[in-house]
Amino acid sequence: MALEALIFDVDGTLADTERDGHRVAFNAAFHEFGLDWNWDVELYGKLLAVTGGKERMNYFVDQFHTQYEKSADFDDMVIALHKAKTRHYTELLAQGGIPMRPGVVRLLNDAKKAGLRLAIATTTTPENVTALLKNSLAADSENWFEVIAAGDIIPVKKPAPDIYVWALEKMKLDASKCLAFEDSENGIKSSMGSGLKTVITINDYTTTHDFTGAIAVLSDLGEPEQPFNVLAGDVQGKSYVDLDLLEHWHSLPV
Ligand code: XBP
Ligand code: MG
């Protein structure tokens, strides 16, 4: 059965947005609201256990800042904080500070030329996806993706499979015809939970994650001049991910 579509996670997969993007934007929002909360690089790694910005703020207060006394309007404050955080994040991306990871632009262009269908499945807010694609990929690149499944369109975020299931349903596509690209344990639980074969490119926050079941675990997608490191999987002697390698992975028995 031919490979028909590629579905990409965003944060950590298309670009390293967490440490120098989302984290910085959360802290800017806390500052704006007069809160003395500060998420340093290490703490943020722990907070990534929970996906979704609003969910992550609740997790922080409940697990790491238990002396904080929630006001009656705490939930509303979280919503307002998250709006501010999205504004800070999209402004930061507009400055063009966060590039796509190695191999991403090349592979997306090749896939598009070859007629593969492209989609996105992410827990982040839709505006954030738009800002990243526009500023770090190409001005019109939102149109490269047939479906952008993002944020609160489904109530239960990764590791639940719902966001991938939603994208597949929208595309009227069976999981067996696609490959997913992820960077985290929550991500692969979600993609594999919806039946998708999944390729992992790790990052500093996800090196110790459990990627059991991944078709391959790589440092990144690689470039002809910048080979990837292989942590697991058969890469057919290649040093970067190209369409032939994707076809090979797709043809492997489950
Ligand atoms: C991404 C996330 C998101 C972002 C913040 O996970 O966990 O919560 O950090 O996004 P994944 P929002 O890569 O697995 O989709 O603040 O917009 O929710
Ligand atoms: Mg991710």
Side-chain angles (χ1 to χ4, degrees):
M1 187 192 305
L3 174 62
E4 284 187 26
L6 309 179
I7 310 184
F8 290 85
D9 168 48
V10 174
D11 298 305
T13 300
L14 292 184
D16 269 324
T17 47
E18 292 291 7
R19 192 190 67 183
D20 300 329
H22 290 294
R23 185 185 68 87
V24 173
F26 279 114
N27 285 332
F30 301 153
H31 185 74
E32 185 181 322
F33 276 61
L35 292 164
D36 65 355
W37 305 353
N38 180 57
W39 291 358
D40 64 25
V41 171
E42 197 194 335
L43 171 62
Y44 194 68
K46 294 180 187 150
L47 298 175
L48 283 173
V50 169
T51 63
K54 296 184 285 293
E55 294 82 350
R56 189 168 298 143
M57 285 188 265
N58 273 292
Y59 178 58
F60 166 69
V61 170
D62 293 343
Q63 300 291 326
F64 295 87
H65 197 16
T66 45
Q67 70 275 33
Y68 180 79
E69 282 181 32
K70 290 185 187 177
S71 57
D73 64 351
F74 180 74
D75 290 347
D76 292 337
M77 183 180 89
V78 166
I79 290 169
L81 270 171
H82 192 249
K83 273 207 181 104
K85 178 259 168 178
T86 300
R87 174 167 43 77
H88 287 291
Y89 181 77
T90 52
E91 281 172 10
L92 207 145
L93 290 186
Q95 293 157 18
I98 302 193
M100 292 306 213
R101 297 192 64 195
V104 168
V105 176
R106 174 185 51 77
L107 194 67
L108 284 173
N109 273 301
D110 288 354
K112 195 159 61 82
K113 269 184 227 145
L116 285 176
R117 298 166 69 187
L118 300 174
I120 277 175
T122 174
T123 63
T124 204
T125 305
E127 292 102 292
N128 298 347
V129 182
T130 306
L132 180 73
L133 295 178
K134 254 197 200 158
N135 293 294
S136 303
L137 184 55
D140 69 334
S141 57
E142 243 188 316
N143 305 328
W144 299 9
F145 298 90
E146 187 180 324
V147 167
I148 296 184
D152 295 330
I153 50 162
I154 46 99
V156 199
K157 294 190 172 147
K158 298 176 188 178
D162 303 37
I163 193 81
Y164 279 100
V165 171
W166 193 91
L168 288 167
E169 276 173 6
K170 264 261 166 196
M171 295 170 90
K172 297 194 175 29
L173 199 61
D174 195 88
S176 63
K177 293 178 176 165
C178 314
L179 288 176
F181 295 81
E182 273 287 354
D183 71 302
S184 70
E185 192 168 330
N186 281 330
I188 193 173
K189 278 191 184 146
S190 174
S191 56
M192 285 186 53
S194 72
L196 285 158
K197 280 184 181 165
T198 304
V199 179
I200 295 291
T201 52
I202 57 164
N203 61 61
D204 285 350
Y205 276 132
T206 67
T207 45
T208 58
H209 286 196
D210 179 1
F211 293 120
T212 305
I215 205 153
V217 183
L218 310 169
S219 56
D220 52 76
L221 296 174
E223 293 284 20
E225 305 300 324
Q226 193 186 334
F228 52 41
N229 293 319
V230 183
L231 290 96
D234 168 23
V235 298
Q236 300 274 290
K238 304 234 176 195
S239 59
Y240 61 95
V241 176
D242 61 7
L243 296 187
D244 287 343
L245 187 51
L246 295 187
E247 293 283 1
H248 167 71
W249 283 335
H250 180 248
S251 73
L252 293 174
V254 185

